[in-house]
Amino acid sequence: MALDLKLDIRTTEDCKHLVIEDITGIYNEESNPGGWGDFNITGNRGNYNLQAYLRIYHFVEEQQYTTSIDLPNFESTVKYPAEDTYRGFKISVPSYEISTAIANTAAIPESYDPIQEVLEDTLYDVVVNINSPTTYYSQEFIIPFKNLCSSTLAVNKMMGIINLGCEDCDEADIEKALLAKSLLNSLKITK
Protein backbone atom coordinates (compact mmCIF):
# COMPACT_ATOMS: atom_id res chain seq x y z
CA MET A 1 0.00 0.00 0.00
CA ALA A 2 1.21 3.54 -0.72
CA LEU A 3 1.57 6.29 1.84
CA ASP A 4 -1.86 7.43 3.07
CA LEU A 5 -1.20 10.93 4.42
CA LYS A 6 -3.54 11.81 7.27
CA LEU A 7 -3.82 15.41 8.43
CA ASP A 8 -5.51 17.00 11.41
CA ILE A 9 -6.71 20.35 10.03
CA ARG A 10 -8.20 22.86 12.46
CA THR A 11 -8.16 26.46 13.56
CA THR A 12 -6.93 27.77 16.86
CA GLU A 13 -9.73 28.48 19.36
CA ASP A 14 -9.63 32.20 18.52
CA CYS A 15 -9.94 31.42 14.76
CA LYS A 16 -6.74 33.37 14.03
CA HIS A 17 -4.52 30.52 12.74
CA LEU A 18 -4.99 27.57 10.41
CA VAL A 19 -3.20 24.53 11.85
CA ILE A 20 -2.27 21.55 9.67
CA GLU A 21 -0.66 18.60 11.44
CA ASP A 22 0.52 15.25 10.08
CA ILE A 23 -1.02 12.40 12.09
CA THR A 24 -0.19 9.61 9.62
CA GLY A 25 2.02 7.69 12.02
CA ILE A 26 4.59 4.97 11.40
CA TYR A 27 3.91 2.03 9.09
CA ASN A 28 2.41 -1.04 10.73
CA GLU A 29 1.34 -3.98 8.58
CA GLU A 30 -1.86 -4.58 10.54
CA SER A 31 -2.89 -1.29 12.11
CA ASN A 32 -1.38 1.37 9.82
CA PRO A 33 -0.41 0.05 6.36
CA GLY A 34 -0.51 3.62 4.98
CA GLY A 35 2.00 4.94 7.52
CA TRP A 36 5.46 6.39 6.95
CA GLY A 37 8.33 3.98 6.30
CA ASP A 38 8.86 0.30 5.56
CA PHE A 39 7.10 -0.41 2.24
CA ASN A 40 6.03 3.25 1.97
CA ILE A 41 8.26 6.29 1.65
CA THR A 42 10.21 7.26 4.75
CA GLY A 43 9.64 10.98 4.44
CA ASN A 44 13.35 11.66 4.74
CA ARG A 45 13.82 15.38 4.04
CA GLY A 46 17.09 14.71 2.22
CA ASN A 47 15.40 12.46 -0.34
CA TYR A 48 11.92 13.97 -0.70
CA ASN A 49 10.38 17.41 -1.19
CA LEU A 50 7.10 18.48 0.37
CA GLN A 51 5.03 21.37 -1.00
CA ALA A 52 1.67 22.48 0.32
CA TYR A 53 -0.92 24.92 -0.88
CA LEU A 54 -4.53 25.90 -0.18
CA ARG A 55 -7.49 25.96 -2.50
CA ILE A 56 -10.15 28.26 -1.04
CA TYR A 57 -13.79 28.30 -2.15
CA HIS A 58 -15.14 31.68 -1.11
CA PHE A 59 -17.37 34.64 -2.01
CA VAL A 60 -16.43 38.25 -2.62
CA GLU A 61 -19.27 40.68 -3.33
CA GLU A 62 -21.69 37.76 -3.83
CA GLN A 63 -19.42 36.30 -6.55
CA GLN A 64 -17.93 32.85 -5.98
CA TYR A 65 -14.17 32.39 -6.40
CA THR A 66 -11.87 29.41 -6.19
CA THR A 67 -8.46 30.70 -5.23
CA SER A 68 -5.28 28.64 -4.95
CA ILE A 69 -2.38 30.00 -2.92
CA ASP A 70 0.91 28.60 -1.73
CA LEU A 71 1.00 28.37 2.04
CA PRO A 72 2.42 31.78 2.98
CA ASN A 73 5.89 31.71 4.53
CA PHE A 74 5.85 27.91 4.43
CA GLU A 75 9.43 27.44 5.60
CA SER A 76 8.96 29.72 8.61
CA THR A 77 5.56 28.30 9.61
CA VAL A 78 6.31 24.57 9.38
CA LYS A 79 7.77 22.69 12.34
CA TYR A 80 9.35 19.25 12.13
CA PRO A 81 9.62 17.06 15.23
CA ALA A 82 12.88 15.57 13.88
CA GLU A 83 15.58 17.25 11.85
CA ASP A 84 15.64 14.72 9.01
CA THR A 85 11.99 13.76 8.37
CA TYR A 86 8.62 15.17 7.39
CA ARG A 87 6.85 12.73 9.72
CA GLY A 88 4.73 14.63 12.23
CA PHE A 89 5.13 18.03 10.53
CA LYS A 90 2.95 20.86 11.81
CA ILE A 91 2.08 24.11 10.07
CA SER A 92 0.45 27.12 11.73
CA VAL A 93 -0.46 29.96 9.37
CA PRO A 94 -1.94 33.28 10.61
CA SER A 95 -5.24 34.20 8.94
CA TYR A 96 -3.92 37.59 7.81
CA GLU A 97 -1.17 35.87 5.78
CA ILE A 98 -3.79 33.74 4.02
CA SER A 99 -6.09 36.70 3.31
CA THR A 100 -3.14 38.81 2.08
CA ALA A 101 -2.10 36.01 -0.32
CA ILE A 102 -5.70 35.76 -1.57
CA ALA A 103 -5.90 39.55 -2.06
CA ASN A 104 -2.68 39.48 -4.10
CA THR A 105 -4.29 37.09 -6.60
CA ALA A 106 -5.12 38.86 -9.88
CA ALA A 107 -8.73 37.64 -10.12
CA ILE A 108 -9.78 38.87 -6.67
CA PRO A 109 -11.53 42.28 -6.55
CA GLU A 110 -9.86 45.12 -4.65
CA SER A 111 -12.81 45.19 -2.23
CA TYR A 112 -11.58 41.93 -0.66
CA ASP A 113 -10.16 42.64 2.82
CA PRO A 114 -6.44 41.75 2.60
CA ILE A 115 -5.81 41.64 6.35
CA GLN A 116 -8.44 39.48 8.03
CA GLU A 117 -7.95 38.84 11.72
CA VAL A 118 -9.81 35.52 11.68
CA LEU A 119 -9.87 32.71 9.15
CA GLU A 120 -12.76 32.95 6.70
CA ASP A 121 -15.64 30.54 7.35
CA THR A 122 -15.65 28.62 4.08
CA LEU A 123 -14.41 25.45 2.39
CA TYR A 124 -10.71 24.76 1.93
CA ASP A 125 -8.68 22.03 0.27
CA VAL A 126 -5.25 21.44 1.74
CA VAL A 127 -3.13 20.08 -1.10
CA VAL A 128 0.17 18.39 -0.25
CA ASN A 129 2.59 17.13 -2.87
CA ILE A 130 5.46 14.85 -1.91
CA ASN A 131 8.04 14.05 -4.56
CA SER A 132 11.58 12.85 -5.05
CA PRO A 133 13.74 14.12 -7.91
CA THR A 134 16.01 11.08 -7.65
CA THR A 135 13.43 8.27 -7.58
CA TYR A 136 10.75 10.08 -9.63
CA TYR A 137 8.24 9.42 -6.84
CA SER A 138 5.37 11.90 -6.79
CA GLN A 139 2.11 11.75 -4.88
CA GLU A 140 -0.50 14.44 -4.30
CA PHE A 141 -2.96 14.44 -1.41
CA ILE A 142 -6.08 16.64 -1.31
CA ILE A 143 -7.73 16.92 2.08
CA PRO A 144 -10.92 19.02 2.40
CA PHE A 145 -11.53 21.23 5.43
CA LYS A 146 -14.75 23.05 6.35
CA ASN A 147 -14.07 26.03 8.61
CA LEU A 148 -16.97 27.14 10.83
CA CYS A 149 -14.90 28.67 13.64
CA SER A 150 -16.25 32.26 13.51
CA SER A 151 -19.83 31.06 13.13
CA THR A 152 -19.40 28.71 16.09
CA LEU A 153 -18.07 31.55 18.26
CA ALA A 154 -20.99 33.81 17.23
CA VAL A 155 -23.62 31.13 17.95
CA ASN A 156 -22.01 30.26 21.29
CA LYS A 157 -22.13 33.94 22.22
CA MET A 158 -25.84 34.10 21.28
CA MET A 159 -26.57 30.98 23.31
CA GLY A 160 -24.71 32.43 26.30
CA ILE A 161 -26.78 35.62 26.27
CA ILE A 162 -30.26 34.11 26.16
CA ASN A 163 -32.04 32.94 29.29
CA LEU A 164 -34.02 29.80 28.53
CA GLY A 165 -35.53 29.80 32.03
CA CYS A 166 -37.04 33.28 31.72
CA GLU A 167 -40.84 33.12 31.41
CA ASP A 168 -41.56 36.76 30.51
CA CYS A 169 -38.59 37.36 28.17
CA ASP A 170 -38.81 38.15 24.46
CA GLU A 171 -39.25 34.81 22.66
CA ALA A 172 -37.76 36.21 19.42
CA ASP A 173 -34.20 36.27 20.82
CA ILE A 174 -34.54 32.70 22.06
CA GLU A 175 -35.93 31.54 18.72
CA LYS A 176 -33.11 33.29 16.79
CA ALA A 177 -30.44 31.71 18.97
CA LEU A 178 -31.97 28.22 18.75
CA LEU A 179 -32.37 28.54 14.97
CA ALA A 180 -28.75 29.66 14.61
CA LYS A 181 -27.59 26.72 16.77
CA SER A 182 -29.69 24.29 14.71
CA LEU A 183 -28.38 25.65 11.38
CA LEU A 184 -24.79 25.51 12.61
CA ASN A 185 -25.23 21.91 13.77
CA SER A 186 -26.60 20.92 10.37
CA LEU A 187 -23.57 22.52 8.67
CA LYS A 188 -21.21 20.63 10.95
CA ILE A 189 -22.63 17.22 10.08
CA THR A 190 -22.98 17.86 6.35
CA LYS A 191 -20.12 16.23 4.48
Side-chain angles (χ1 to χ4, degrees):
M1 177 175 196
L3 178 71
D4 181 17
L5 187 70
K6 294 181 180 92
L7 299 178
D8 175 20
I9 307 168
R10 62 189 182 280
T11 60
T12 52
E13 286 184 22
D14 60 5
C15 309
K16 292 185 178 187
H17 286 78
L18 176 65
V19 179
I20 303 164
E21 186 172 7
D22 170 43
I23 57 168
T24 306
I26 303 292
Y27 173 87
N28 180 294
E29 184 177 343
E30 294 186 20
S31 63
N32 194 15
W36 295 98
D38 211 278
F39 292 108
N40 301 327
I41 65 167
T42 62
N44 182 298
R45 289 175 46 203
N47 298 333
Y48 296 93
N49 299 314
L50 184 143
Q51 295 93 26
Y53 68 91
L54 294 176
R55 187 177 306 126
I56 304 108
Y57 304 92
H58 57 117
F59 287 85
V60 180
E61 296 176 353
E62 299 181 23
Q63 175 77 31
Q64 184 177 2
Y65 292 87
T66 302
T67 308
S68 294
I69 60 167
D70 289 330
L71 282 174
N73 298 316
F74 180 75
E75 287 306 316
S76 64
T77 59
V78 66
K79 304 288 183 240
Y80 304 106
E83 199 171 296
D84 64 342
T85 183
Y86 291 114
R87 287 192 315 253
F89 71 86
K90 184 176 183 178
I91 306 165
S92 180
V93 185
S95 59
Y96 64 84
E97 287 188 4
I98 294 170
S99 60
T100 300
I102 292 170
N104 289 333
T105 305
I108 300 298
E110 287 186 24
S111 61
Y112 181 81
D113 182 7
I115 303 180
Q116 296 183 19
E117 290 190 29
V118 296
L119 198 65
E120 239 180 302
D121 279 5
T122 193
L123 300 175
Y124 298 79
D125 282 338
V126 175
V127 182
V128 176
N129 186 295
I130 302 172
N131 60 59
S132 170
T134 57
T135 64
Y136 304 106
Y137 170 88
S138 182
Q139 192 171 3
E140 183 173 81
F141 303 90
I142 301 173
I143 299 100
F145 171 64
K146 179 178 12 176
N147 181 38
L148 298 170
C149 187
S150 295
S151 298
T152 301
L153 291 179
V155 169
N156 288 346
K157 184 176 179 181
M158 285 177 79
M159 294 300 291
I161 292 173
I162 63 170
N163 182 355
L164 294 174
C166 182
E167 292 182 20
D168 59 344
C169 294
D170 184 8
E171 293 287 320
D173 290 341
I174 295 172
E175 289 174 8
K176 274 189 211 176
L178 292 175
L179 176 62
K181 180 77 172 170
S182 175
L183 291 172
L184 180 63
N185 285 340
S186 68
L187 285 172
K188 286 181 178 179
I189 59 173
T190 304
K191 297 267 180 194

